[in-house]
Amino acid sequence: MARRSSLASRIFPFVFGLVVGAGVLYFFLPGPPQGGKVQTAQQPGAKPQPGQQGPAQPAGSTLAEVRARGYIQCGVSTGLPGFSNPDDKGNWTGIDVDFCRAVAAAVFGDASKVKYRPLNAKDRFTALQSGEVDLLSRNTTWTMSRDTSLGFDFAGVIYYDGQGFLVKKASGITSAAQLNGATICTQTGTTTELNLADYFRGQNMSYKVLPFEKNEEALSAYDNGRCDAYTTDASGLHAQRLILKTPDDHIVLPEVISKEPLGPLVRQGDPQWEDIVRWTLFALIDAEELGVTSANVDQQMTSASPEVRRLLGTEGKFGEPLGLSNGWAADALRAVGNYGEMFERNVGTKTPLGIPRGLNALWRNGGVMYAPPIR
Amino acid sequence: MRWSWTDPRMRALVWQVAALAATLVTLWYFAAMAHQNLARQHIATGFGFLDNTAGFGVVQTLIPYSEESSYGRAFLVGLCNTLLVAALGTVFAVMLGFVVGVARLSTNWLIARLATVYVETLRNIPLLLQLFFWYFAILQPLPGPRDSLTLLPGIFLSNRGIVMPAVETTPSTAAFVLCLLTAIAAAIFIGRWAKARKLRTGESFPTLIVNAVIIIGLPGLVWLIASAAFALAPPVMGKFNFEGGWRVLPEFLALLLGLTLYTAAFIAEIVRAGIQSVGRGQTEAAHALGLSSGQTLRLVTVPQALRVIVPPLTSQILNLIKNSSLAVAIGYPDLVSVFAGTVLNQTGQAIEVIAITMAVYLIISLAISFAMNLYNARVAIVGR
Ligand SMILES: N[C@@H](CCC(=O)N[C@@H](CS)C(=O)NCC(=O)O)C(=O)O
């Protein structure tokens, strides 16, 4: 007994001292880095700086962390055909997945350096906030509160969408205006839940909403007749109609009740990483405008057009401020092609989803896809 | 008491103060670190969000709620839904658990075997799977509202749940309720009086019959003389579903079924162990005194068994309450689904929302433990 207590009395002050020490240390550690400090942490071309951890970790280090790790952790959906969907071998495809690959190619020159983290609607934001993923590329709507109070920054819009309804043909419903009193299935933690409330309030109609955590559950509840309608982004409706027992028994109603600009997002406070993600997206869109494709990117290196040369890094040093090589955009384009190619390959009219470009066409072709110039 | 390291009491005191201080410092350190990190990441902090407009609908609300209500209100809605399913689940699970536990000890071979099969099946399958079974395999494939099954006249079962006529008040409701309360008070009084008289003189009094007449007769008279005390408002078929009436959601039904049946299996085992812990000699002695089997169970076995039953029963009740948070998997709007789900996601304030949710479960659990400990103290052996 006496020996026990003497052992304890030797260990305890040590532990206690450690804890108190940590507490005191906390006071003297530098506060959150602000402004200028951030920039100096990662000079253009600087070697990756692994091992910077702890509360004083300077912002601007996502790129360093990603490089040290050797791959990008990309948050995607748990399965939405055309956007991010795993096949039976675990290979991911979709426009959101292609974007992850484009960023990996821009950073590493190798599009395969990505690990996908499937996230349902409810968990995606916590995963990004906590640093579990470096980038969320998961049909996520850009809204003000997500941008301002959840601590995120959206890099742009990869797909202009809007919310719609799916109903059974047999119900005889042809317009959302006939949904007064209906029960509607949806997924929890989405903008969908809020738009639904807004729409029915605005139309002075009553409704019952049944939100499920997992999308499959919401869809199967609708399929089983627990709900009269299923609602989500129109793109999602088209994709999910295909996985119902008998797709032809269901129709998408013509009304689009909201604006859903879907885009990739990152944590706020790391301007360099944000710029990398944003300009990768812009480069993909600019490339379509300039006619640069995955097939002709190498020929275009010698193009006479200064715009193309700047994009592909044969003129100017546009990669350096991002902390990347000057061929960053060329690497991305070689891997996934330009925006138009990504669209047609994953969701376009020749795919099972069969979605026309519509709003997502280039601004020159009557859409709203428009990227600032690289210069 | 003089300060001396050799004094064990003094030493114990020092350790305790030190341990407390270390805990507080650690907690403070974590809180400060979290706060700093959140500020660095530009994530909103604080509890101000509870006043913001929720903007989403909830399918079952026991208290008034609309999309214009606040997140704080949504929290209360979720809490009420959790409490409802937990309270009903507890009552049913305890009742069913007692019945099955006693049945396991039945001398009737079939009944004992059935009870064993029940216990072994239900407690060995994960609760989440059972919930999926009730919800997706049993309740959802039911016919739609238009082809509802009729459970009782006016009560329908469909894949939208159970719908029954709403019970509404009439002008004579107040008089009826008043009469009923008076009758119950009178019955209690008569019961006491009869018991006291029996102890004093040994004479029996037909308490049961007299009280039944009073409790049924008195309010019944009001019903006859005035008018029906309640009116039934049957549901009518609307465009999509029944409108009006009272309804029980299939999500609620599945959760209640799952929680009740699962927990009852554990409670049955506790009850069986409790009854078996009472020595055979007790039963034999009771029989020798001329008590019937029923009386033996009620007056001799159960009171002693309760001492063994109550502490583990408390744990099962706490489990049931915590397991109710699986609701989110089948779309029942409980606290975790509404608050730690939708509200968390909408506001992004994970730390605050999770802290509140944990505190709620902690408080509910502590309150139940406290109540059960009081009860346990009452049934425990009183030392002489
Ligand atoms: N764009 C909406 C909704 C996005 C969303 O989560 N959609 C669902 C239904 S299409 C989905 O992708 N679910 C797949 C999953 O949970 O993995 C938002 O950002 O809130």
Side-chain angles (χ1 to χ4, degrees), chain B residues 45-287:
Chain B
T45 49
F47 292 91
F49 71 95
L50 288 172
D51 293 329
N52 295 351
T53 307
F56 60 89
V58 181
V59 67
Q60 173 183 302
T61 53
L62 300 179
I63 54 173
Y65 171 89
S66 78
E67 287 82 5
E68 285 120 289
S69 304
S70 65
Y71 286 127
R73 190 81 188 167
F75 162 76
L76 290 180
V77 167
L79 178 60
C80 287
N81 287 343
T82 289
L83 291 178
L84 177 73
V85 76
L88 287 178
T90 303
V91 171
F92 291 144
V94 169
M95 291 197 311
L96 184 63
F98 264 82
V99 171
V100 177
V102 172
R104 280 207 71 178
L105 296 172
S106 168
T107 44
N108 181 319
W109 185 86
L110 186 65
I111 290 184
R113 266 330 111 96
L114 279 179
T116 308
V117 169
Y118 171 83
V119 168
E120 292 306 338
T121 325
L122 272 285
R123 73 172 178 168
N124 287 320
I125 298 177
L127 177 55
L128 187 61
L129 291 186
Q130 296 192 29
L131 292 180
F132 282 152
F133 172 77
W134 291 116
Y135 187 59
F136 288 107
I138 300 294
L139 292 172
Q140 267 194 8
L142 287 173
R146 252 162 246 285
D147 315 304
S148 296
L149 312 171
T150 308
L151 293 182
L152 286 172
I155 302 185
F156 304 102
L157 175 70
S158 70
N159 62 9
R160 306 295 169 94
I162 296 177
V163 34
M164 58 187 99
V167 179
E168 288 174 350
T169 55
T170 65
S172 58
T173 306
F176 178 84
V177 172
L178 206 69
C179 264
L180 189 67
L181 290 179
T182 319
I184 291 174
I188 293 174
F189 178 77
I190 291 174
R192 291 235 173 114
W193 168 82
K195 198 170 172 189
R197 200 180 68 146
K198 183 161 185 180
L199 285 178
R200 209 156 18 90
T201 65
E203 279 175 72
S204 287
F205 184 81
T207 324
L208 211 64
I209 297 172
V210 171
N211 280 350
V213 168
I214 291 177
I215 290 181
I216 298 171
L218 222 56
L221 222 57
V222 175
W223 194 295
L224 287 181
I225 295 172
S227 64
F230 297 101
L232 294 183
V236 288
M237 182 50 83
K239 186 156 125 216
F240 294 104
N241 193 356
F242 285 103
E243 277 158 21
W246 283 351
R247 65 196 63 236
V248 184
L249 295 178
E251 291 75 29
F252 175 78
L253 218 54
L255 186 62
L256 185 61
L257 263 172
L259 287 175
T260 302
L261 297 179
Y262 180 74
T263 315
F266 289 90
I267 294 179
E269 283 300 274
I270 292 171
V271 169
R272 180 176 67 99
I275 292 176
Q276 282 177 331
S277 76
V278 180
R280 262 207 80 67
Q282 298 272 338
T283 317
E284 282 162 5
H287 284 314

Side-chain angles (χ1 to χ4, degrees), chain A residues 78 120 124 138-141 146 187 190-191 232-233 262:
Chain A
T78 58
N120 67 29
R124 58 185 153 166
R138 184 209 171 281
N139 54 312
T140 296
T141 305
R146 287 174 180 178
Q187 191 174 14
T190 54
T191 47
T232 188
D233 301 340
L262 312 179

Side-chain angles (χ1 to χ4, degrees), chain A residues 198-331:
Chain A
D198 286 359
Y199 177 74
F200 278 84
R201 249 165 82 194
Q203 304 281 312
N204 230 331
M205 301 197 300
S206 75
Y207 75 106
K208 290 208 159 53
V209 61
L210 212 57
F212 289 85
E213 190 176 14
K214 295 216 174 79
N215 204 36
E216 308 94 80
E217 285 158 10
L219 202 61
S220 111
Y222 159 74
D223 212 7
N224 280 333
R226 172 65 184 98
C227 294
D228 303 299
Y230 170 77
T231 182
T232 188
D233 301 340
S235 60
L237 291 182
H238 288 287
Q240 292 179 329
R241 197 174 74 98
L242 299 177
I243 44 184
L244 291 172
K245 281 175 222 151
T246 44
D248 289 340
D249 291 352
H250 304 266
I251 53 162
V252 176
L253 297 181
E255 285 83 358
V256 171
I257 65 167
S258 69
K259 290 191 287 187
E260 307 287 331
L262 312 179
L265 56 153
V266 295
R267 276 182 297 283
Q268 194 173 333
D270 185 345
Q272 185 190 35
W273 182 246
E274 187 188 328
D275 282 345
I276 291 175
V277 175
R278 165 171 301 135
W279 283 94
T280 303
L281 179 58
F282 288 163
L284 296 171
I285 299 169
D286 278 332
E288 184 181 11
E289 208 177 315
L290 298 172
V292 180
T293 67
S294 54
N296 71 12
V297 56
D298 289 316
Q299 288 127 266
Q300 292 275 13
M301 290 280 190
T302 53
S303 158
S305 151
E307 276 173 298
V308 172
R309 295 170 65 86
R310 280 196 297 270
L311 172 71
L312 298 180
T314 40
E315 191 172 309
K317 289 188 164 41
F318 289 92
E320 268 180 23
L322 297 176
L324 304 177
S325 78
N326 290 325
W328 61 286
D331 288 339

Side-chain angles (χ1 to χ4, degrees), chain A residues 111-140:
Chain A
S112 69
K113 298 227 148 82
V114 190
K115 283 222 170 108
Y116 301 100
R117 180 70 60 98
L119 295 166
N120 67 29
K122 183 169 153 268
D123 302 329
R124 58 185 153 166
F125 296 131
T126 328
L128 182 58
Q129 280 177 342
S130 67
E132 219 178 292
V133 296
D134 306 310
L135 160 67
L136 189 63
S137 177
R138 184 209 171 281
N139 54 312
T140 296

